[in-house]
Amino acid sequence: MPKRLFISQPMRDKTNEQIEKEREAAIKSVKEKYGDDIEVVDSFFKDAPHDARPLWFLAQALAKLSTADVAYFCKDWENYRGCRIEHTCAAEYGIDVIESYKEDSDD
């Protein structure tokens, strides 16, 4: 049975291309640790309502997180309120946590 992967990442002021590149790097990193048997939980809400507020995004993300076995936190996660809340929830509810920092990135 594949491990279900949730990716938490700062998205403010980033293009879709930057977000997707960072997600690809996260998936690669998790596969190095757990092998190829990974199923990514899609938590990138490209089709969000135009007037969606930050709490709407967080609620959707927590629902997705609840289905994960592993949560990967992209660099700078600790500087973003939503990511910090997701991190706390993952840790408190027994989801494996992987944290990325600047040295893990090539940008």
Side-chain angles (χ1 to χ4, degrees):
M1 184 169 199
K3 292 256 186 206
R4 291 184 46 84
L5 169 64
F6 176 88
I7 300 169
S8 178
Q9 67 189 127
M11 295 184 188
R12 186 179 338 129
D13 299 327
K14 292 184 181 178
T15 65
N16 285 353
E17 293 77 24
Q18 290 170 316
I19 291 167
E20 288 170 350
K21 180 180 176 188
E22 193 171 43
R23 294 177 74 74
E24 289 172 14
I27 293 165
K28 180 181 176 189
S29 178
V30 172
K31 285 184 175 183
E32 287 172 2
K33 180 172 181 160
Y34 290 100
D36 287 333
D37 203 14
I38 297 292
E39 178 183 332
V40 179
V41 176
D42 187 11
S43 59
F44 180 23
F45 307 110
K46 294 178 192 173
D47 298 322
H50 175 70
D51 60 346
R53 295 169 66 178
L55 201 52
W56 181 90
F57 286 99
L58 181 60
Q60 302 305 308
L62 291 177
K64 300 275 187 173
L65 177 61
S66 74
T67 69
D69 302 302
V70 179
Y72 183 96
F73 291 84
C74 294
K75 75 174 188 172
D76 297 330
W77 67 268
E78 66 278 4
N79 298 320
Y80 291 80
R81 172 180 57 200
C83 294
R84 289 192 310 264
I85 292 168
E86 292 165 355
H87 188 278
T88 297
C89 291
E92 290 291 324
Y93 286 90
I95 296 168
D96 288 346
V97 170
I98 300 172
E99 299 170 353
S100 174
Y101 294 96
K102 288 184 180 180
E103 62 270 12
D104 296 334
S105 177
D106 57 3
D107 43 34

